[in-house]
Amino acid sequence: MEQQGHFPLSAQTTSLVHALLDTPRLIHRRLSTEDANFILELLNDPSWLQFIGDFGVRTLEEAHNYILQGPVEMYGRLGFGLYLTVLKEGNVPIGICGLIKRDALEDVDIGFAFLPGFGGKGYAYESASAVMQYGKQVLGLKRIVAITSPDNLRSAKLLEKLGLRFERMIKFSPEAQELRLFGADL
Ligand SMILES: CC(C)(COP(=O)(O)OP(=O)(O)OC[C@H]1O[C@@H](n2cnc3c(N)ncnc32)[C@H](O)[C@@H]1OP(=O)(O)O)[C@@H](O)C(=O)NCCC(=O)NCCS
């Protein structure tokens, strides 16, 4: 992984980042506009549309803009964000996983989505475990949360495997859907 945030990291921190974000089967790297094709596919996958929502990204140009205004903006502002999860074997992008800071939540939350062809192999768990260790050891997070729609049972199962526990239902606005908030101390 290249430089984190807007300041250069020491060699020691850089090697810690690599040690945490490179797992036996996966690497994680920052998203760039070169990943627009993959993002277009992921954001239009039925499971993304069902469980995360319709971001209205239908063209390569819209995928490009999403990458710049979403993850890339957050790397610049906070030094972390959603990363591309890449299978070492074949250098194939399989999903995104990372940390998000939302105005509506006090704590940083973990987010993930993988293409269905790569489900059921433990990749999401391996990727999210690495991101949590990164949050704890590099960013110094003391707590992490996650939000899911109530019917997203696979996500809830993964969060529990990661050590997060259901805490309460939340709503981001009076009209919004109720979401399940999970959390864990790190
Ligand atoms: C949520 C989501 C990431 C979960 O993916 P997943 O495939 O269930 O999770 P994993 O990749 O960790 O795989 C776990 C499964 O692989 C199995 N597995 C196989 N090989 C494994 C290995 N080497 N190591 C660990 N688990 C392995 C596990 O037993 C488990 O199977 P089970 O579900 O039958 O118990 C995925 O469903 C997704 O991307 N959904 C759409 C987006 C979404 O909803 N995101 C969350 C929004 S809150």
Side-chain angles (χ1 to χ4, degrees):
M1 159 142 321
E2 65 278 41
Q3 183 183 312
Q4 304 293 298
H6 19 237
F7 50 90
L9 295 176
S10 69
Q12 196 185 10
T13 310
T14 303
S15 67
L16 177 63
V17 168
H18 276 288
L20 293 171
L21 288 177
D22 292 357
T23 71
R25 298 182 293 175
L26 307 170
I27 58 163
H28 296 86
R29 66 166 174 79
R30 287 184 173 196
L31 283 150
S32 80
T33 51
E34 289 179 10
D35 303 309
N37 267 313
F38 176 77
I39 287 297
L40 182 61
E41 184 181 356
L42 185 67
L43 270 57
N44 287 288
D45 185 80
S47 65
W48 178 290
L49 295 170
Q50 180 183 355
F51 293 122
I52 299 180
D54 187 352
F55 289 22
V57 171
R58 300 284 183 268
T59 64
L60 270 182
E61 190 185 350
E62 286 164 349
H64 189 280
N65 291 340
Y66 163 80
I67 292 167
L68 291 180
Q69 289 159 18
V72 171
E73 189 277 335
M74 203 172 280
Y75 307 145
R77 185 161 48 89
L78 300 173
F80 59 82
L82 284 168
Y83 303 113
L84 186 71
T85 304
V86 180
L87 200 57
K88 279 183 183 170
E89 195 179 332
N91 196 28
V92 185
I94 62 169
I96 58 176
C97 183
L99 299 166
I100 303 160
K101 178 69 191 76
R102 301 171 206 262
D103 292 342
L105 289 177
E106 195 179 321
D107 297 297
V108 169
D109 68 275
I110 186 163
F112 37 72
F114 291 79
L115 288 177
F118 300 97
K121 297 184 173 68
Y123 293 137
Y125 176 73
E126 190 169 316
S127 180
S129 302
V131 163
M132 281 177 61
Q133 283 306 310
Y134 172 76
K136 178 179 173 168
Q137 297 192 35
V138 178
L139 304 177
L141 300 180
K142 299 280 178 260
R143 187 172 139 77
I144 195 154
V145 297
I147 44 172
T148 73
S149 60
D151 57 344
N152 196 345
L153 304 182
R154 292 194 74 82
S155 178
K157 186 174 174 184
L158 173 59
L159 291 170
E160 282 172 2
K161 208 162 142 187
L162 290 164
L164 285 85
R165 295 290 168 256
F166 171 72
E167 295 186 347
R168 62 192 163 89
M169 303 302 288
I170 58 163
K171 269 184 172 204
F172 285 149
S173 68
E175 328 65 68
Q177 185 204 9
E178 271 205 310
L179 298 170
R180 303 181 80 202
L181 177 77
F182 288 74
D185 292 335
L186 296 176

